[in-house]
């Protein structure tokens, strides 16, 4: 579904994957995992989550992907949304520092919509991201610590280190 963010002033595409037995077991509430860069990562991670759930290697979860209108827009808009504060003129990357607005969208709009429409464990949410998307969970952790909030219980922040092999 698409959700317009009042704080970011843009729409996000939200992907949802429910546990296999979600509709058969109508009383159970599930942990939620919120994932950034859903245009790229959601199809792959959703498949892993399903297989791990079926194999008993992962408890059933509700996977929520936060994405953009298109894959092409994702690259520039993630700079707008995942970074904070705004870049200095001397910085290598130009960023408007919209992380706080994106955090406000997730905590004040998206999570209430998800909690209203799905059976969620409201005290068991995770946030995960990669690269600039990995910076945002760390930023969120700091916000929660400063504001004494506990919107997310778990955080996963990943990045890759590229290695170049030189041959002579």
């Amino acid at each position: 579904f698409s959700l317009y963010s009042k704080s970011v002033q843009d729409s996000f595409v939200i992907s949802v994957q429910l546990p296999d037995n979600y509709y058969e077991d109508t009383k159970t509430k599930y942990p939620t995992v919120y994932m950034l860069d859903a245009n790229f990562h959601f199809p792959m991670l959703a498949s892993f989550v399903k297989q791990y759930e079926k194999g008993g290697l992962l408890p059933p979860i509700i996977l929520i992907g936060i994405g953009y209108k298109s894959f092409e827009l994702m690259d520039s808009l993630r700079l707008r949304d995942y970074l904070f504060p705004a870049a200095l003129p001397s910085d290598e990357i130009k960023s408007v520092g919209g992380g706080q607005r994106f955090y406000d969208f997730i905590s004040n709009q998206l999570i209430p919509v998800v909690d209203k429409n799905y059976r969620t464990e409201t005290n068991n949410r995770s946030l995960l991201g990669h690269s600039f998307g990995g910076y945002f969970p760390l930023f969120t952790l700091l916000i929660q610590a400063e504001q004494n909030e506990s919107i997310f219980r778990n955080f996963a922040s990943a990045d890759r280190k590229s290695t170049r092999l030189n041959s002579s």
Side-chain angles (χ1 to χ4, degrees), residues 126-144:
S126 300
L127 178 63
L128 59 107
H130 173 263
S131 189
F132 285 140
Y135 174 88
F136 186 77
L138 298 176
F139 172 67
T140 300
L141 178 62
L142 289 173
I143 290 174
Q144 287 189 184

Side-chain angles (χ1 to χ4, degrees), residues 1-4 6 14 16 22 32 34 64 105-120 125:
F1 63 93
S2 180
L3 185 59
Y4 180 78
K6 297 170 192 163
I14 309 302
V16 179
Y22 184 84
T32 49
Y34 289 79
I64 307 292
F105 160 67
I106 291 173
S107 59
N108 298 324
Q109 283 187 260
L110 178 57
I111 288 174
V113 166
V114 169
D115 288 349
K116 179 182 175 195
N117 290 296
Y118 302 99
R119 294 187 317 275
T120 64
R125 294 185 197 102

Side-chain angles (χ1 to χ4, degrees), residues 5-57:
S5 165
K6 297 170 192 163
S7 56
V8 178
Q9 298 183 349
D10 200 356
S11 293
F12 292 90
V13 175
I14 309 302
S15 302
V16 179
Q17 176 174 277
L18 300 173
D20 280 340
N21 66 342
Y22 184 84
Y23 292 106
E24 288 79 34
D25 179 0
T26 59
K27 295 190 190 305
T28 300
K29 293 186 176 189
Y30 299 93
T32 49
V33 175
Y34 289 79
M35 180 187 106
L36 305 174
D37 291 323
N39 300 72
F40 184 77
H41 295 297
F42 189 84
M44 178 178 49
L45 189 60
S47 151
F48 280 116
V49 166
K50 270 300 179 209
Q51 285 303 110
Y52 275 56
E53 181 186 332
K54 285 179 183 179
L57 299 171

